[in-house]
């Protein structure tokens, strides 16, 4: 009986060792980062040089042409999923890596000049700003102090105003199809107001982006920031986030995007706690320009990270660019000049 047990044990050990010998140890090799115009080099290796029948490579779930050196078939920067399905014998296995795609050139640098100065409510914690039909529309923040207002440009006089419920921290706003869209910071929803009466008509939720920061629009979509490097494109009827881009320079991500304005086909954005405007390509996310406006905060007598530049408005008809900041007493009309 003992002899049979010993034989059985030897058979089981041999079977186990044989199965271990058949185990494939596969590795997907891909660059951690690359520029948008570079070729993507991928490979799959087996630790013990066991035969691999074939490999299929994918970018964000879409199959790539070729097997090794392939042209990156994406126009969007930022984080992407690289995967490989490996076929060997009657088996197959999926491997996944992440790659960061950067812009292919450094952004242009802009200086600024002040064209005009106008009064601004120094108690307005500006979150959103827009020029529409000769007037400024502005949203302000802080719990218990958040408002939506219509403002006379030359005097800074508040012509119309509503207060948000004190439970809401107001954020960015924009005017689209004669409706005012306004975000809240952490409540996960925004409001739609009648442009003439400021009466609230409906609410919308955003779920993929957990917070509301800046808001603007192009001819078809609302464009929203959430405090990260992501910029979301929303259906204006439903508020659903349908797609997004990630803002990247040639060497880094561009986080903390805040107030937004869509100007001449580009997204202009404030960066939270920075007195600057960045210019982002809406198709790719590429950082195309940076304007340092730090001197304006000192000019209005503000200091620190809270009362910084925040608020961009554009008068398309007269090609005028306006900026202000949180609790600033001045609204500036400026002109950006490429260095």
């Amino acid at each position: 009986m003992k002899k049979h047990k010993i034989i059985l044990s030897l058979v089981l050990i041999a079977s186990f060792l044989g199965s271990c010998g058949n185990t494939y140890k596969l590795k997907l090799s891909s660059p951690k980062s690359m520029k948008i115009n570079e070729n993507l080099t991928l490979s799959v290796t087996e630790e013990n040089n066991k035969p691999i029948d074939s490999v299929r490579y994918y970018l964000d779930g879409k199959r790539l042409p070729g097997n090794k050196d392939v042209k990156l078939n994406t126009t969007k920067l930022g984080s992407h999923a690289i995967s490989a399905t490996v076929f060997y014998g009657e088996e197959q296995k999926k491997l996944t890596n992440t790659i960061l795609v950067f812009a292919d050139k450094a952004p242009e640098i802009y200086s600024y000049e002040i064209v005009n100065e106008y009064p601004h409510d120094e108690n307005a914690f500006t979150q959103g700003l827009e020029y529409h039909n000769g007037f400024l529309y502005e949203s302000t923040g802080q719990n218990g102090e958040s408002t939506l207002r219509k403002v006379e440009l030359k005097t800074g006089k508040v012509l119309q105003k509503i207060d948000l419920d004190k439970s809401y921290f107001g954020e960015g706003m924009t005017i689209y199809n004669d409706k005012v869209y306004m975000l809240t910071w952490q409540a996960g929803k925004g409001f739609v107001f009648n442009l003439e009466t400021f009466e609230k008509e409906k609410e919308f939720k955003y779920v993929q982006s957990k917070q509301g920061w800046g808001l603007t629009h192009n001819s078809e979509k609302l464009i929203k920031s959430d405090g990260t490097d992501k910029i979301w494109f929303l259906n204006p009827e439903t508020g659903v986030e349908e797609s997004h881009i990630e803002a990247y320079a040639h060497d880094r991500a561009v986080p903390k995007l805040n107030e937004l304005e869509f100007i001449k086909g580009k997204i202009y954005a404030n960066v939270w706690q920075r007195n600057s405007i960045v210019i982002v390509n809406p198709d790719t996310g590429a950082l195309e320009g940076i304007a340092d406006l730090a001197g304006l905060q000192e000019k209005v007598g503000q200091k620190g990270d809270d009362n910084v530049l925040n608020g961009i408005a554009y008068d398309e008809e007269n090609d005028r660019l306006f900026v202000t900041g949180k609790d600033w007493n001045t609204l500036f009309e400026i002109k950006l000049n490429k260095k």
Side-chain angles (χ1 to χ4, degrees):
M1 187 68 177
K2 289 183 178 180
K3 184 176 181 180
H4 289 292
K5 288 184 177 179
I6 291 172
I7 293 173
L8 179 60
S9 297
L10 291 173
V11 170
L12 291 174
I13 292 171
S15 176
F16 174 75
L17 291 175
S19 65
C20 288
N22 291 328
T23 300
Y24 273 60
K25 295 183 178 179
L26 300 165
K27 179 182 178 181
L28 169 61
S29 296
S30 61
K32 292 183 179 180
S33 64
M34 62 180 293
K35 299 290 178 63
I36 188 68
N37 62 347
E38 295 177 339
N39 280 349
L40 176 61
T41 301
L42 305 171
S43 65
V44 171
T45 55
E46 201 286 321
E47 184 178 299
N48 298 307
N49 294 317
K50 292 181 180 178
I52 294 172
D53 295 329
S54 63
V55 182
R56 294 176 183 173
Y57 296 103
Y58 299 84
L59 175 70
D60 298 328
K62 295 181 180 179
R63 188 173 176 179
L64 292 169
N67 289 327
K68 283 195 174 182
D69 294 322
V70 295
K71 192 69 176 179
L72 195 67
N73 65 341
T74 182
T75 58
K76 291 185 177 182
L77 307 184
S79 178
H80 294 272
I82 295 289
S83 62
T85 301
V86 188
F87 299 89
Y88 51 98
E90 297 182 356
E91 303 292 329
Q92 68 180 61
K93 185 174 182 180
K94 183 177 180 180
L95 309 172
T96 303
N97 283 349
T98 299
I99 184 172
L100 290 177
V101 180
F102 295 97
D104 58 356
K105 59 183 179 180
E108 301 279 1
I109 304 301
Y110 291 82
S111 62
Y112 73 94
E113 60 180 282
I114 298 173
V115 179
N116 281 305
E117 299 181 21
Y118 304 98
H120 181 257
D121 183 0
E122 63 183 5
N123 295 312
F125 197 73
T126 305
Q127 300 290 70
L129 190 68
E130 187 149 334
Y131 183 90
H132 182 76
N133 288 345
F135 297 95
L136 288 170
Y137 291 78
E138 185 173 9
S139 56
T140 68
Q142 304 286 31
N143 291 99
E145 300 177 14
S146 297
T147 65
L148 171 64
R149 51 182 69 185
K150 179 180 180 179
V151 179
E152 189 173 61
L153 171 63
K154 291 186 177 181
T155 66
K157 181 180 179 181
V158 178
L159 305 175
Q160 188 177 354
K161 184 178 77 167
I162 60 165
D163 298 320
L164 267 62
D165 185 277
K166 63 181 180 181
S167 63
Y168 294 120
F169 191 116
E171 284 285 347
M173 55 76 59
T174 193
I175 298 171
Y176 181 81
N177 284 347
D178 292 328
K179 304 290 182 184
V180 181
Y181 292 77
M182 181 174 175
L183 303 176
T184 62
W185 179 27
Q186 295 178 316
K189 64 181 176 181
F191 305 118
V192 181
F193 299 97
N194 181 287
L195 177 61
E196 299 300 324
T197 65
F198 282 6
E199 180 182 356
K200 187 173 77 172
E201 296 184 349
K202 63 179 181 179
E203 300 179 358
F204 62 96
K205 294 183 178 181
Y206 31 91
V207 294
Q208 295 188 69
S209 52
K210 295 182 179 179
Q211 294 186 354
W213 286 51
L215 192 65
T216 186
H217 68 85
N218 57 21
S219 60
E220 298 179 350
K221 306 291 182 183
L222 302 180
I223 304 174
K224 173 184 177 295
S225 65
D226 62 3
T228 69
D229 54 41
K230 290 184 177 180
I231 298 176
W232 299 85
F233 295 84
L234 281 59
N235 184 310
E237 296 299 320
T238 64
V240 171
E241 297 130 315
E242 296 181 335
S243 64
H244 75 274
I245 55 173
E246 298 174 47
Y248 268 73
H250 63 296
D251 58 354
R252 61 184 174 86
V254 186
K256 298 184 179 179
L257 297 176
N258 201 356
E259 220 276 285
L260 306 177
E261 186 77 7
F262 195 75
I263 302 175
K264 298 180 180 179
K266 307 295 182 180
I267 299 172
Y268 284 54
N270 288 134
V271 180
W272 184 51
Q273 295 184 328
R274 296 288 185 270
N275 289 293
S276 62
I277 290 177
V278 295
I279 303 171
V280 178
N281 185 302
D283 298 316
T284 65
L287 179 65
E288 296 187 350
I290 301 175
D292 182 1
L293 308 184
L296 296 181
Q297 185 185 29
E298 181 179 355
K299 188 174 178 63
V300 298
Q302 290 286 8
K303 296 179 180 180
D305 293 335
D306 290 334
N307 300 111
V308 293
L309 181 81
N310 201 56
I312 310 170
Y314 181 62
D315 173 10
E316 182 177 7
E317 182 179 355
N318 299 296
D319 192 25
R320 294 188 295 175
L321 178 64
F322 304 101
V323 297
T324 190
K326 299 175 184 291
D327 295 336
W328 285 17
N329 59 17
T330 306
L331 176 116
F332 297 94
E333 178 189 342
I334 65 170
K335 180 181 179 181
L336 299 183
N337 300 309
K338 189 180 298 185
K339 288 187 176 181

